[in-house]
Amino acid sequence: MKFLLDFFPIALFFIVYKTMGLYAAIYAMIGATALQMLIARYQTGKFENTHLITFGLLVVLGGVTLALRDPAFLMWKVSVLYVVFASVLIVSIWIGKKPLLERMLGKELDLPKAVWQQMSWIWGLGFVGIALVNAYYVNLALAARELLFSSTELDPKIELTELDCATTTMQDLCLVAQQTEESWVNFKLFGTMGLTFILIIITVIMISKYTKQEQ
C-alpha cells in the first residue's frame, strides 16, 4: 500500500500529461503530493521527511517551471531529489548511531549492522543510478526542445503537446521534441517505479535469510 501511495503523484502526473499537457500535470502532481502527505500524516501521526523534501522541491522547481514556462526545472527535480536521498542514506552510515534505514525499519527488522550498511549502499547507489538515467532523458528532451525553438519562430513557452507537427516548418524536429519529452515522462513513471522495484527485490533477497533464521 505504501509503495502505491508513494507513486500516486507520479502516476497522476503521467495521466494528466497524456490528456492535458505538461503544465496541467504539474498542478495535478503538486495537489497529489499534498494529499499524499496528509494521508501519511493521518496514518502515522506525523509528516514523513521524504514527503516534505519531495513536496518542497516540487513546489519550488515546479513553481519556477510554471512561472517561466520552462520544463527544465521540473525535469531536473527528479535527479536532484534522488541525489539528495542517496546522499542522506549513505552519509547516515557514519553520522549517528544507526544508518537511516535502520532507524526507519529497525522496529520491524532485526538485522546485523553490516547488513543495514550494505542496504544503505545499495539503495544509495540505486538512487544515484535513477538520477543518472533521468539526466540522460532530460538532456535528450531539452536538446531536442532547444533545437526546435532555435530553428523556428515558435514561442518557446508553448506546450509541446499542443503542437501539430504536420503544420510546422520543421516537422521532424517537432516530432523529435515531442517524442523525447514523452520519453522522459514515461521514464518518470515506469522507469523510476521499475528501478525502485528492483531495489526492493534485492532488499527482500538480502534480508530473507535472516527472517528465516528467526522463524
Side-chain angles (χ1 to χ4, degrees):
M1 180 63 72
K2 187 178 185 303
F3 182 79
L4 295 176
L5 180 62
D6 286 343
F7 279 94
F8 165 65
I10 301 176
L12 183 62
F13 175 87
F14 176 85
I15 294 170
V16 176
Y17 173 83
K18 296 293 185 179
T19 56
M20 300 176 64
L22 179 64
Y23 300 120
I26 295 174
Y27 284 112
M29 187 163 62
I30 291 174
T33 304
L35 178 61
Q36 175 195 52
M37 291 173 57
L38 293 175
I39 292 174
R41 174 71 171 79
Y42 175 78
Q43 291 176 336
T44 65
K46 62 180 181 180
F47 290 110
E48 295 189 13
N49 291 332
T50 55
H51 291 166
L52 293 173
I53 294 171
T54 301
F55 186 69
L57 284 173
L58 178 58
V59 168
V60 173
L61 298 180
V64 173
T65 295
L66 292 169
L68 301 180
R69 307 290 282 190
D70 184 348
F73 298 94
L74 180 73
M75 289 180 171
W76 282 114
K77 187 221 77 170
V78 178
S79 291
V80 171
L81 182 64
Y82 277 95
V83 167
V84 169
F85 287 163
S87 300
V88 171
L89 284 173
I90 293 174
V91 170
S92 72
I93 295 174
W94 297 284
I95 296 179
K97 295 181 179 179
K98 299 178 180 179
L100 180 61
L101 283 179
E102 185 176 0
R103 284 177 243 166
M104 294 171 59
L105 304 173
K107 292 182 180 179
E108 290 79 22
L109 297 171
D110 183 17
L111 302 173
K113 184 175 182 179
V115 176
W116 287 115
Q117 293 176 344
Q118 291 171 5
M119 286 172 53
S120 297
W121 276 109
I122 288 172
W123 278 87
L125 294 177
F127 284 165
V128 170
I130 293 174
L132 291 175
V133 177
N134 178 75
Y136 169 78
Y137 282 104
V138 171
N139 282 323
L140 287 180
L142 295 181
R145 181 185 178 88
E146 174 62 26
L147 185 58
L148 170 65
F149 290 121
S150 64
S151 303
T152 65
E153 296 182 355
L154 293 169
D155 184 355
K157 294 184 179 180
I158 194 172
E159 286 246 26
L160 288 179
T161 53
E162 294 178 355
L163 287 176
D164 180 1
C165 292
T167 64
T168 63
T169 57
M170 294 288 184
Q171 182 176 352
D172 290 343
L173 294 181
C174 177
L175 288 172
V176 170
Q178 287 182 337
Q179 289 166 0
T180 52
E181 182 180 270
E182 186 174 2
S183 293
W184 171 75
V185 172
N186 291 338
F187 169 76
K188 183 175 171 61
L189 175 62
F190 300 109
T192 55
M193 184 180 292
L195 292 173
T196 301
F197 188 65
I198 291 173
L199 291 173
I200 291 174
I201 292 175
I202 294 172
T203 301
V204 170
I205 293 173
M206 284 184 64
I207 67 177
S208 60
K209 64 179 181 179
Y210 296 99
T211 55
K212 289 179 180 178
Q213 288 175 2
E214 291 179 359
Q215 294 174 356

